[in-house]
Amino acid sequence: MRRIISVILVFIFVLSSCGKKVILDETHQFEDGIWMRFDATEFKVDINDIEPTYNISVTVSYDTSRYRETSLPLVVDFFPDSNELHNFTPIMKLREKDGTLRGVVLGNYCTVTDTIDRHRIYNREGSYTYRIRQRTSKYEIYGFNTINLKVERL
């Protein structure tokens, strides 16, 4: 009986150690709900293991009565300690094709999460900086409360 319990405990331990591990989960709050076009929010993450791949996701919380667009274009710059700059330009989908809001809606407020980079491979260990900017055609967009960056090891 002890042996069976031991085997079950080891099996549970192995299963619980599998899966994603959150490396970074950080939120930035916008002052007065305004996101200026060239104001970048900055996040720093330490990568200590380059063997696995990583998912990068962004969550935005915004007032749907102030920002009515169907998507949110972004510019994401990231670079390691060596200041070797890389960037990509994801577009967060905020609404479905029929116009319904994606994410969690509470009154006029909506919180949407989108994985903007799947299976990211880092070529060296160290500290990486992510800078996220909005790239809409407007100089400032209104109604944005927070932006969150999450990095998960797969």
Side-chain angles (χ1 to χ4, degrees):
M1 183 67 167
R2 275 185 156 176
R3 186 175 187 152
I4 293 173
I5 292 174
S6 297
V7 169
I8 291 172
L9 288 175
V10 167
F11 182 73
I12 291 171
F13 176 76
V14 168
L15 282 180
S16 67
S17 65
C18 295
K20 299 176 181 177
K21 180 180 178 197
V22 176
I23 305 299
L24 176 75
D25 189 359
E26 190 175 313
T27 302
H28 169 80
Q29 188 159 359
F30 294 104
E31 197 171 308
D32 299 325
I34 301 170
W35 192 357
M36 306 296 279
R37 182 172 175 89
F38 300 105
D39 287 346
T41 56
E42 191 169 285
F43 303 92
K44 293 186 185 286
V45 61
D46 290 324
I47 301 298
N48 299 318
D49 188 359
I50 60 172
E51 289 298 318
T53 60
Y54 296 80
N55 277 353
I56 315 298
S57 58
V58 169
T59 301
V60 293
S61 177
Y62 69 101
D63 182 343
T64 60
S65 67
R66 296 181 76 195
Y67 188 77
R68 298 176 185 266
E69 304 299 324
T70 60
S71 62
L72 176 63
L74 302 172
V75 175
V76 179
D77 300 323
F78 72 99
F79 47 93
D81 291 333
S82 66
N83 292 327
E84 172 187 323
L85 178 65
H86 305 271
N87 68 21
F88 56 101
T89 54
I91 297 176
M92 287 188 70
K93 185 176 168 185
L94 302 179
R95 294 180 184 262
E96 300 296 344
K97 288 182 181 181
D98 64 2
T100 58
L101 293 166
R102 291 183 67 226
V104 178
V105 180
L106 185 59
N108 283 342
Y109 293 92
C110 185
T111 302
V112 179
T113 301
D114 204 357
T115 302
I116 60 169
D117 195 6
R118 296 181 190 279
H119 302 285
R120 161 68 55 197
I121 297 172
Y122 294 97
N123 58 6
R124 62 178 161 260
E125 294 179 359
S127 180
Y128 286 77
T129 300
Y130 281 84
R131 287 189 188 143
I132 303 175
R133 295 175 279 135
Q134 59 99 344
R135 66 177 179 97
T136 65
S137 60
K138 299 173 177 77
Y139 180 69
E140 48 192 36
I141 53 177
Y142 297 93
F144 280 83
N145 299 325
T146 60
I147 185 168
N148 172 278
L149 182 73
K150 183 183 282 187
V151 179
E152 293 177 302
R153 184 175 69 208
L154 301 180

